[in-house]
Amino acid sequence: MTRAFRQQIDDGILDAAAALFARQGFAKTSVQDIATAVGLSKAGLLHHFPTKDAIHEAVLDLVGTLGGRVADQIADLPPGPARDRRALETVLDTAAAHPGLVSLMLSPALHPAPDAIGGPADGPAQAVLALFGVDPDGPDVDREVRVVGALSALAVLTIAAHQHDKSSAWRPFILQTCFDALGHPGA
């Protein structure tokens, strides 16, 4: 098996595992659940990752890498509509390529499962909120609700577009819907 093909399989496993961790939580997701989701036997899955903990660690590493890429894309922009648009575009493109991982990144905001990634108070979801200048403990509730709403719409619409094989066709509409939710209609 070529290295690129193996990496593609591993990425598919991690994306499916991330979606299950986001939906069910780490403790309630079994190795068999992950194997079934990717069409492998349990033994076949364990050939790629020796334990559920190894899968979880690899998922978190990949989420961190993807989150870092998003942060790098907006680092040069001050807060405002241009930064929001670039952040949405980058998160949207990441979600289209890795829907399960983005679901996990956003899981504390969308459907909290206390053990999905370490709890709602830390981790990747807080990093994503920070990209949009949101401090969950801060006083700007309007901005927090708008960002959570925009990211929720992004996650749901990206998954729906993927299921209908319309990711490219829906992309500009998803982007505008999320941008509108942030309070930048028509911009």
Side-chain angles (χ1 to χ4, degrees):
M1 175 178 338
T2 67
R3 189 177 240 331
F5 183 66
R6 180 174 173 99
Q7 186 61 49
Q8 186 178 13
I9 291 170
D10 288 353
D11 287 350
I13 291 168
L14 298 179
D15 196 59
L20 289 168
F21 294 154
R23 199 168 39 252
Q24 301 174 181
F26 177 74
K28 292 181 181 175
T29 300
S30 70
V31 172
Q32 186 61 57
D33 292 338
I34 299 166
T36 300
V38 295
L40 293 173
S41 66
K42 185 175 175 180
L45 177 67
L46 293 174
H47 178 72
H48 291 269
F49 296 95
T51 66
K52 184 171 83 166
D53 287 329
I55 296 169
H56 192 245
E57 185 176 320
V59 164
L60 293 179
D61 287 347
L62 188 52
V63 166
T65 298
L66 294 173
R69 287 183 197 159
V70 173
D72 290 347
Q73 292 290 316
I74 65 164
D76 61 330
L77 294 173
R83 180 185 175 115
D84 284 351
R85 181 172 290 280
R86 185 174 300 164
L88 284 171
E89 289 171 340
T90 307
V91 172
L92 179 57
D93 292 341
T94 302
H98 307 280
L101 290 164
V102 170
S103 179
L104 181 66
M105 289 171 69
L106 302 177
S107 64
L110 302 177
H111 41 81
D115 69 338
I117 56 173
D122 64 1
Q126 298 312 311
V128 172
L129 292 175
L131 294 173
F132 292 90
V134 172
D135 174 3
D137 298 322
D140 194 353
V141 175
D142 178 60
R143 177 69 175 171
E144 182 178 2
V145 169
R146 287 181 178 280
V147 169
V148 170
L151 294 174
S152 299
L154 186 143
V156 169
L157 291 170
T158 301
I159 291 167
H162 181 73
Q163 289 173 343
H164 291 94
D165 197 27
K166 295 188 177 193
S167 295
S168 295
W170 286 23
R171 186 185 187 281
F173 303 107
I174 295 170
L175 181 60
Q176 190 59 52
T177 298
C178 297
F179 201 60
D180 291 351
L182 289 176
H184 309 301

